Amino acid sequence: MSTQGPRRDDDPYARIRAVIARIPAGRVATYGQVAALAALAGHARQVGYALRNLPESSDLPWQRVINQKGEVSPRSAPGYERYQQHLLEEEGVRFDAAGRVDLERYRWEPDDDRPTRRWKPPRGR
DNA sequence: AAGTTGACAAGGA
DNA sequence: TTCCTTGCCAACT
C-alpha cells in the first residue's frame, strides 16, 4: 500500500546497496561505477554517503568500493583505511607500495564472474 | 531558509 | 605524475 516506506527499487540507497552486494570477493568497484550501475550516474558522493550510514550489522561488502585512483578513500576516522585494505588483501586483492590497487586488474564488471584477472595485457611498445 | 559538508571525480598546472 | 581547483548534489546544520 501507499502507507509503507519506499520500495527497494524506489529508494536510491537501496539500489546502491544492491549493486555493492553483487561485487564478488577479490574484486573492487569505484564509487562512480556503483552510482552508474544503480542508475544514479553522477552521484558518486551519494555512494560514499550511503556507506557512511551503513549500520555496523550490515553484511554488505563495503570494503570492495574504492575511489577512481585505486586507493581506499580517506575517511574521518583514521585506522579504517588500514582495516579496509586488510579486508581486501584477505580476499586476494594486492596493493602496491603506494597503497593502490590495479583497477585494470581487479575492477569488477557486472557481466564478469571470474575471480581475478591474472595478468594485464602488455602495453603497446 | 541558506550555508556547509563530504567514504567522489575530472581537468588544469 | 602529483597537487590543487572546480563541479557535483543530497544530507545536514
Side-chain angles (χ1 to χ4, degrees):
Chain A
M1 313 300 246
S2 57
T3 56
Q4 55 187 292
R7 286 174 306 114
R8 217 172 96 95
D9 297 340
D10 210 38
D11 177 12
Y13 291 114
R15 293 207 305 277
I16 289 173
R17 289 192 296 270
V19 170
I20 296 175
R22 294 173 53 200
I23 308 173
R27 306 304 295 271
V28 298
T30 67
Y31 293 89
Q33 183 185 355
V34 170
L37 289 173
L40 293 170
H43 295 234
R45 310 190 79 159
Q46 262 46 68
V47 175
Y49 194 85
L51 293 182
R52 185 170 224 310
N53 264 325
L54 207 60
E56 191 71 35
S57 58
S58 176
D59 57 345
L60 204 70
W62 55 269
Q63 73 273 23
R64 294 170 195 157
V65 183
I66 62 179
N67 64 33
Q68 192 66 299
K69 290 183 291 188
E71 49 190 18
V72 300
S73 285
R75 160 128 111 284
S76 42
Y80 258 88
E81 298 152 283
R82 192 170 55 78
Y83 177 48
Q84 179 173 0
Q85 178 170 336
H86 174 69
L87 289 177
L88 286 174
E89 287 178 326
E90 287 198 323
E91 297 183 353
V93 177
R94 305 277 294 282
F95 285 74
D96 64 20
R100 280 196 298 260
V101 172
D102 183 346
L103 284 176
E104 295 203 18
R105 179 174 171 182
Y106 294 102
R107 182 197 290 274
W108 167 67
E109 304 290 344
D111 57 309
D112 182 1
D113 292 328
R114 289 170 301 160
T116 49
R117 287 174 187 150
R118 288 300 165 186
W119 63 283
K120 44 187 174 182
R123 291 283 240 141
R125 86 153 304 346

